[in-house]
Amino acid sequence: MTTFPAEVVRAVLRHMNEDHTEDSLTIVRAHAEPEASAATMTGLDGAGGTWDAQVRGRTVSVTVPWTEPAVERADLRRQVVRLHERALERLGQTPTEVHP
């Protein structure tokens, strides 16, 4: 399993938790905890991303596997976008914007 340098992990987590909180919630609801009311990304590696989800007043840690292994930093963005796209499909939602 691929691990990423701490600065890469921090940067991805900061970006997801500051700029994509709703996307994280969508991913968590579709792939792990349908009743989640909030989600904070807490970790990642080459196999998947981990979020703390708020579910009925408690915090639940969930890991969602990537659609394929991430081995380079650029793979992480692609994998998060894919999880989000698949989450929208599962939830019957339409994408409202293109992610930069």
Side-chain angles (χ1 to χ4, degrees), residues 6 9 11 16 31 34 37 46 49 54 56 74 76 84 92 97:
V9 173
M16 289 300 296
H31 298 288
S37 60
Q54 295 302 311
R56 289 180 254 130
L76 295 171
H84 185 254
E97 65 178 273

Side-chain angles (χ1 to χ4, degrees), residues 1-2 4 9 12-13 16-17 24 27-28 31-32 39-53 60-70 75-77 79-81 83:
M1 168 180 47
T2 302
F4 294 92
V9 173
V12 172
L13 297 181
M16 289 300 296
N17 293 328
S24 285
I27 290 167
V28 167
H31 298 288
T40 303
M41 193 171 204
T42 58
L44 60 89
D45 59 25
T50 302
W51 286 264
D52 277 352
V60 177
S61 180
V62 298
T63 299
V64 179
W66 305 133
T67 60
E68 45 187 70
D75 295 335
L76 295 171
R77 180 189 179 281
Q79 290 306 311
V80 170
V81 169
L83 284 184

